[in-house]
Amino acid sequence: LKGELKLTQWIRVMTFLSIIGTILLFSFACPGGRHGGWVLLLGDAILFPTLFLGDGLSSGLLMMSQHLCPAGSWLDANHIMLYRGLMVAGMGRTLGPPSARMQIDNGGQNSYAFQQFALAVVYLMIFELGMAPRVKLDDKQDQNLAVHPEAHLRQFTP
């Protein structure tokens, strides 16, 4: 499957799978409550790996030199990595777990599931509206990058 889909299509697949995982977090996914714990674990097992993989692919796509501003601007590769590090490690990993616990305490399982669902949909919208239209890879280069990612590094390294 590696060469069958373009990079942007892989990001979409991973995001749609993560949205499916969030649906399994809702209480209606297991109406009898008999296997509720297993369904919840399955939802998490689908949601988080696919969302992280999609995020990694989109970060790699973002870091390609043709999608960033030139060196010295506020949106060059160095600054983008700094902003991403601050957002992911500084805010997401610091505020995420307490926020999730607070969400479950105040609103219950469905409130937490809706929060995860909404964030996955927002991630998809940001990708579709902000990043996917600006991707300048043609099909051949994109498929070559999916099969041989090191080819991109050799091509754009000064």
Side-chain angles (χ1 to χ4, degrees):
L1 288 176
K2 198 184 324 184
E4 298 298 320
L5 296 175
K6 294 190 293 184
L7 190 57
T8 54
Q9 292 170 329
W10 275 114
I11 294 169
R12 287 182 187 105
V13 166
M14 293 299 132
T15 307
F16 284 124
L17 286 173
S18 69
I19 290 172
I20 290 169
T22 63
I23 292 171
L24 293 175
L25 299 179
F26 285 96
S27 61
F28 63 75
C30 191
R34 183 177 151 118
H35 300 290
W38 290 107
V39 173
L40 190 64
L41 285 174
L42 178 64
D44 282 336
I46 293 171
L47 167 65
F48 292 109
T50 56
L51 195 59
F52 288 142
L53 184 57
D55 177 54
L57 291 172
S58 62
S59 295
L61 186 62
L62 178 68
M63 291 309 298
M64 291 181 189
S65 61
Q66 61 195 10
H67 301 297
L68 296 175
C69 292
S73 85
W74 286 95
L75 294 174
D76 66 359
N78 291 329
H79 285 99
I80 291 292
M81 287 305 292
L82 173 68
Y83 304 147
R84 187 176 187 286
L86 290 173
M87 295 300 289
V88 170
M91 290 181 59
R93 292 188 182 143
T94 303
L95 300 177
S99 157
R101 283 189 215 92
M102 185 177 69
Q103 187 75 22
I104 292 170
D105 285 344
N106 293 335
Q109 177 181 345
N110 286 337
S111 177
Y112 169 74
F114 180 76
Q115 177 189 22
Q116 295 298 316
F117 176 80
L119 290 173
V121 170
V122 165
Y123 172 80
L124 179 64
M125 289 173 51
I126 289 171
F127 174 75
E128 289 296 337
L129 298 175
M131 195 170 175
R134 291 169 178 78
V135 174
K136 298 174 187 165
L137 292 175
D138 60 9
D139 290 342
K140 183 179 177 189
Q141 183 183 7
D142 192 21
Q143 287 176 352
N144 187 36
L145 183 62
V147 176
H148 304 288
E150 69 280 355
H152 169 74
L153 296 175
R154 286 192 302 258
Q155 183 180 1
F156 291 106
T157 309

